[in-house]
């Protein structure tokens, strides 16, 4: 049994969905297909939630826009009214929800509305596959993927989910299931979501709980590349990666895999394949249990919108454990992610994700204890398997603020 995951880009139009069907036809194995919301529907739904929550006038219009986009795809797929019972029911439910009043809990309301992106997209994909002769069962994953109540960032309850998922996806009534990524539900049947871009994670959870042979993520790239082609002209596809290497890359900011995807797979040694949906006969990249140290080309990862803050105690004392714990307490409180730390006797430098708001007040707070220097609009560049040539290329034409190296990884803060 295999898990295939198709993201928003692979179901963003009628022709894209036809391509999904051709990929499924190529592989006769028993499968669970995990699908995301179509195109940028989740972004649209986020706008819808904000408007609904603030009782904005434009709510109906945003709803209509989302509905029209899906209607265009449905027409392109030549689906008949009789195929669309579920899709229509979901749109009616969404509309009904919008006609009610929101509670005071934004994150809760978010989950109750944003889930429709995945519910509707899977209903359309499932109907189309059936029409094309690929008999499948649509599954509402909320019946079996149990989470806690942390809305928008729910934590999966593996124990509960294991039993429920194995009961629902039992392959007795079907060889092919179509279900949603990104969403789940609490024990009291309230919908939750797993965090943006969470569908890869869902595919990995299902892989783990159903003991899949492999999990394949079909994407619009040839596989995992050694750099983002948006930033670098010459990229190389990596044939294989170890789980550890994949975690390092995802953590440093490589967007191709969601960082949470690896752990559930690595725990059961299930291979993860990243393959191009435009060239389904190409092998892509395999992430698996590699016994030896891989000899890889330099891998470049850029994290943008970084701020570098350098602190030194105003009284010229050394930086000790007390100051460190105070500083990190402050960052934790403000939920600011620290990506790199460098310390000397009297300086502490921290590279952080630049907060959208609140940097000024953070600096004011820090200035109570420290002399503070800071720069914004920086890039944190990570180079795995760096060499002199790679470092030179990265630094060329840029201003270097900080450099940190271990045996395999170099990290540079640049402007
Ligand atoms: N549709 C969700 C999002 O765009 C989940 C996903 O695509 O992985 O964040
Ligand atoms: Mg998406």
């Amino acid at each position: 049994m295999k898990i295939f995951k198709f993201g928003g880009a692979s179901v963003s139009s009628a022709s894209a969905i036809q391509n999904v069907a051709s990929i499924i036809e190529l592989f006769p194995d028993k499968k669970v297909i995990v699908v995301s919301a179509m195109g940028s529907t989740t972004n649209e739904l986020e706008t819808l939630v904000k408007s609904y929550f603030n009782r904005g006038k434009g709510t109906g219009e945003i709803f209509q826009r989302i509905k029209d986009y899906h209607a265009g795809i449905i027409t392109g797929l030549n689906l008949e009214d009789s195929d669309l019972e579920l899709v229509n029911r979901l749109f009616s439910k969404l509309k009904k929800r919008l006609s009610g009043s929101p509670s005071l809990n934004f994150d809760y309301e978010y989950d109750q509305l944003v889930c429709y992106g995945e519910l509707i997209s899977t209903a359309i994909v499932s109907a189309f596959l059936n029409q094309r002769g690929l008999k499948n069962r649509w599954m509402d994953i909320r019946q079996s993927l149990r989470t806690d109540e942390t809305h928008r960032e729910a934590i999966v309850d593996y124990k509960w989910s294991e039993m429920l998922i194995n009961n629902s996806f039992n392959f007795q009534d079907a060889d092919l299931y179509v279900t949603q990524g990104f969403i789940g539900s609490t024990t009291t049947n309230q919908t939750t979501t797993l965090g943006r871009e969470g569908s890869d994670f869902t595919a990995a959870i299902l892989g783990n709980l159903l003991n899949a042979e492999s999990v394949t993520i079909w994407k619009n790239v040839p596989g995992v590349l050694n750099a983002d082609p948006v930033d670098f002209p010459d990229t190389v596809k990596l044939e294989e990666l170890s789980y550890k290497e994949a975690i390092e890359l995802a953590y440093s900011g490589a967007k191709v895999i969601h960082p949470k995807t690896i752990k559930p797979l690595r725990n059961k040694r299930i291979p993860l394949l990243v393959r191009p949906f435009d060239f389904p006969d190409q092998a892509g990249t395999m992430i698996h249990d590699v016994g030896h140290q891989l000899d890889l080309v330099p891998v470049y990862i850029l994290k943008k919108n970084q701020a570098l803050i350098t602190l030194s105690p105003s009284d010229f004392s050394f930086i000790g454990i007390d100051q460190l714990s105070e500083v990190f307490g402050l960052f934790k409180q403000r939920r600011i992610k620290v990506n790199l730390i460098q310390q000397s006797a009297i300086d502490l430098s921290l590279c952080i994700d630049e907060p959208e708001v609140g940097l000024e007040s953070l600096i004011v707070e820090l200035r109570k204890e420290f002399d503070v220097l800071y720069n914004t609009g920086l890039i944190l560049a990570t180079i795995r398997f760096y060499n002199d040539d790679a470092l030179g290329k990265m630094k060329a034409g840029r201003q270097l603020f900080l450099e940190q190296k271990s045996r395999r990884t170099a990290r540079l803060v640049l402007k």
Side-chain angles (χ1 to χ4, degrees):
M1 193 276 296
K2 292 179 173 161
I3 314 270
F4 279 9
K5 182 259 173 176
F6 293 95
S10 47
V11 291
S12 62
S13 65
S15 61
I17 297 169
Q18 279 153 350
N19 185 46
V20 166
S22 336
I23 293 176
I24 294 172
E25 278 163 358
L26 280 178
F27 299 87
D29 325 66
K30 292 187 171 168
K31 286 188 290 291
V32 177
I33 311 290
V34 176
V35 184
S36 304
M38 295 180 167
S40 50
T41 301
T42 305
N43 293 345
E44 290 273 349
L45 284 164
E46 286 190 342
T47 319
L48 182 73
V49 181
K50 279 183 205 143
S51 174
Y52 167 69
F53 193 73
N54 298 320
R55 295 165 198 266
K57 290 213 168 53
T59 308
E61 227 167 85
I62 303 167
F63 170 77
Q64 197 54 47
R65 206 161 61 216
I66 295 171
K67 199 170 172 191
D68 291 346
Y69 165 64
H70 289 85
I73 291 177
I74 288 167
T75 310
L77 292 172
N78 290 321
L79 289 170
E80 313 269 334
D81 272 348
S82 56
D83 306 323
L84 293 170
E85 213 181 295
L86 176 61
V87 178
N88 292 334
R89 196 156 14 108
L90 290 166
F91 270 115
S92 308
K93 275 193 181 172
L94 172 57
K95 191 165 183 183
K96 183 152 175 251
R97 196 156 187 114
L98 293 170
S99 67
S101 305
S103 69
L104 295 176
N105 183 340
F106 180 82
D107 290 350
Y108 169 80
E109 297 298 339
Y110 177 104
D111 285 352
Q112 310 318 306
L113 292 176
V114 169
C115 63
Y116 281 93
E118 268 67 14
L119 291 168
I120 292 165
S121 87
T122 48
I124 296 173
V125 169
S126 167
F128 176 69
L129 294 178
N130 273 324
Q131 185 215 60
R132 188 144 148 174
L134 289 163
K135 290 289 161 243
N136 70 90
R137 261 200 78 167
W138 180 83
M139 285 291 218
D140 184 340
I141 202 165
R142 296 175 302 175
Q143 313 279 351
S144 42
L145 191 69
R146 286 281 172 263
T147 71
D148 72 353
E149 284 161 20
T150 320
H151 287 288
R152 296 182 72 182
E153 203 65 61
I155 311 255
V156 174
D157 183 333
Y158 279 85
K159 273 241 164 64
W160 258 105
S161 304
E162 175 160 35
M163 188 186 74
L164 295 168
I165 296 255
N166 277 285
N167 278 338
S168 343
F169 297 84
N170 56 24
F171 290 95
Q172 276 162 20
D173 50 358
D175 287 338
L176 182 64
Y177 293 96
V178 175
T179 198
Q180 307 78 34
F182 178 56
I183 68 175
S185 105
T186 66
T187 47
T188 55
N189 292 329
Q190 301 302 316
T191 304
T192 49
T193 60
L194 308 178
R196 283 304 304 265
E197 308 304 330
S199 294
D200 290 2
F201 184 36
T202 303
I205 295 164
L206 288 177
N208 174 302
L209 297 179
L210 293 168
N211 294 307
E213 214 175 290
S214 63
V215 173
T216 306
I217 299 180
W218 293 94
K219 290 196 71 99
N220 57 351
V221 287
V224 179
L225 304 177
N226 75 324
D228 188 335
V230 173
D231 300 310
F232 294 85
D234 310 310
T235 54
V236 190
K237 192 201 75 178
L238 308 170
E239 299 295 323
E240 60 171 351
L241 283 170
S242 63
Y243 294 111
K244 180 169 179 292
E245 212 44 70
I247 287 195
E248 290 279 359
L249 300 189
Y251 179 82
S252 312
K255 285 181 225 95
V256 60
I257 323 162
H258 190 285
K260 287 185 188 163
T261 312
I262 306 297
K263 183 166 174 266
L265 298 178
R266 139 73 234 225
N267 287 351
K268 289 209 172 159
R269 304 289 194 271
I270 297 167
L272 173 65
L273 297 128
V274 180
R275 299 181 65 166
F277 59 60
D278 286 330
F279 304 97
D281 48 335
Q282 290 181 8
T285 299
M286 165 126 81
I287 296 158
H288 62 148
D289 210 8
V290 186
H292 55 279
Q293 191 62 53
L294 286 173
D295 196 12
L296 293 176
V297 294
V299 179
Y300 303 85
I301 302 140
L302 302 187
K303 234 183 163 89
K304 293 173 188 170
N305 302 320
Q306 300 293 298
L308 183 66
I309 302 182
T310 302
L311 310 172
S312 31
S314 318
D315 60 0
F316 215 69
S317 58
F318 298 130
I319 299 227
I321 200 83
D322 292 340
Q323 275 115 332
L324 284 177
S325 99
E326 194 180 315
V327 169
F328 281 101
L330 197 61
F331 282 93
K332 184 171 173 215
Q333 207 180 42
R334 290 171 174 250
R335 295 210 204 177
I336 292 176
K337 199 164 161 253
V338 179
N339 298 315
L340 173 145
I341 306 160
Q342 196 164 71
Q343 191 192 346
S344 72
I346 54 166
D347 279 344
L348 176 66
S349 293
L350 302 151
C351 183
I352 61 169
D353 285 341
E354 196 176 326
E356 273 171 43
V357 286
L359 184 65
E360 300 300 325
S361 75
L362 172 71
I363 301 293
V364 169
E365 192 77 20
L366 290 167
R367 285 208 164 120
K368 290 181 186 160
E369 300 274 336
F370 302 96
D371 287 337
V372 182
L373 290 173
Y374 72 100
N375 291 82
T376 56
L378 305 178
I379 300 174
L380 172 61
T382 302
I383 313 176
R384 290 284 287 169
F385 311 104
Y386 67 92
N387 54 32
D388 287 345
D389 184 44
L391 282 172
K393 262 194 214 152
M394 201 67 227
K395 289 182 201 166
R398 299 192 172 100
Q399 192 185 347
L400 179 67
F401 284 73
L402 190 152
E403 182 165 2
Q404 201 172 71
K405 286 182 192 161
S406 65
R407 267 181 308 150
R408 292 212 184 85
T409 309
R411 308 182 78 199
L412 314 169
V413 179
L414 300 157
K415 184 154 194 153

